[in-house]
Amino acid sequence: MTFAAAVTDRTRHLRTRLCVGLDPRADAYRDLTHLRENTLDVLEATAPFAACVKPQLAFFEALGVPGFTLLEEVCAAARLLGLPVILDGKRGDIGSTAEAYARGWLAGPHAGDALTVSPFLGFGTLTPFVEAARANGGGIFVLVKTSNPDQADVQGQGVSERVAVEVARLGDEEEGEYASVGAVVGATHPQDLALFRSLMPRALLLLPGLGVQGGTAAGLAPAFHPGGTGALASASRAVQYADGLSVAASREAARRLRDELNGALE
């Protein structure tokens, strides 16, 4: 089963559109052992309420070799729990470098089921990522309109819309309900979701920024298709650090966000 099919199947069967982000911040823990245990505990506790999990690569990379070991543990644990894995790396480069990124994060020992990628070095730089995703039954999420306030410096004046048209074109090359090429559109832009949904009808939309960044479930309905599929709303700090390092609080936050998302679509 492809990534797009697997995450959509989980959405339908578990009635969840929540993507749980994992940001293991070293300064929040006593030591690496504490960080590892809490991260894995949060993953297991929130899995029943999640459609997928999204490790933020920066926090794993910052830990050095132990971080890569933990990333492999997280990916393995997620798969045992039936959770598709989106690696949030925002990779993007040219030629052989893009090919190396694609091999490393979509086919290598640290690979996830999907990867976030940047199109801002040109649309041709997406090709290695698209090819690797298709070859491995995976997916990519192309940055279209990100959740940060200063995204308009680069993504304004119609740039996001141009990227969206390219995402849709790439998706039209494939069969199936949803294509392997999806898009990142911030949950902090509810007023734009209907437009981007219409521009990319067969793309899965990853909606980061739920919670701490200000995104709310109430404004996200336009991103979804009838039946509540087609989008994944992501929360990281609002779940993993809902109340310090309390795993019980993380579980409750994931449950609440799942219910809020379901309520917004009813």
Side-chain angles (χ1 to χ4, degrees), residues 18-180:
L18 177 65
C19 173
V20 171
L22 293 178
D23 296 1
R25 301 164 183 263
D27 57 3
Y29 300 92
R30 293 189 303 272
D31 51 34
L32 283 173
T33 299
H34 187 207
L35 180 152
R36 172 186 174 276
E37 291 174 350
N38 183 260
T39 300
L40 291 170
D41 286 347
V42 168
L43 173 62
E44 183 174 4
T46 59
F49 311 108
C52 58
V53 63
K54 182 174 70 66
Q56 169 51 259
L57 290 184
F59 293 103
F60 292 86
E61 291 170 347
L63 300 172
V65 172
F68 285 97
T69 299
L70 176 58
L71 179 63
E72 290 185 2
E73 287 189 85
V74 165
C75 291
R79 290 181 179 119
L80 284 175
L81 293 164
L83 278 172
V85 177
I86 302 171
L87 296 180
D88 192 356
K90 301 178 179 68
R91 294 304 195 259
D93 215 312
I94 63 172
S96 60
T97 309
E99 292 171 3
Y101 275 138
R103 285 197 306 272
W105 296 117
L106 288 165
H110 310 300
D113 301 298
L115 175 71
T116 59
V117 300
S118 172
F120 295 111
L121 274 73
F123 293 154
T125 66
L126 297 176
T127 300
F129 298 102
V130 173
E131 291 177 347
R134 290 173 178 168
N136 293 281
I140 62 170
F141 288 92
V142 180
L143 304 183
V144 170
K145 191 173 183 67
T146 55
S147 57
N148 55 308
D150 51 354
Q151 53 79 30
D153 294 346
V154 175
Q155 299 166 27
Q157 298 183 325
V159 172
S160 291
E161 289 80 359
R162 286 180 59 198
V163 178
V165 169
E166 177 64 10
V167 168
R169 187 193 69 78
L170 289 167
D172 285 343
E173 297 174 356
E174 303 177 16
E175 298 179 354
E177 183 178 11
Y178 292 106
S180 64

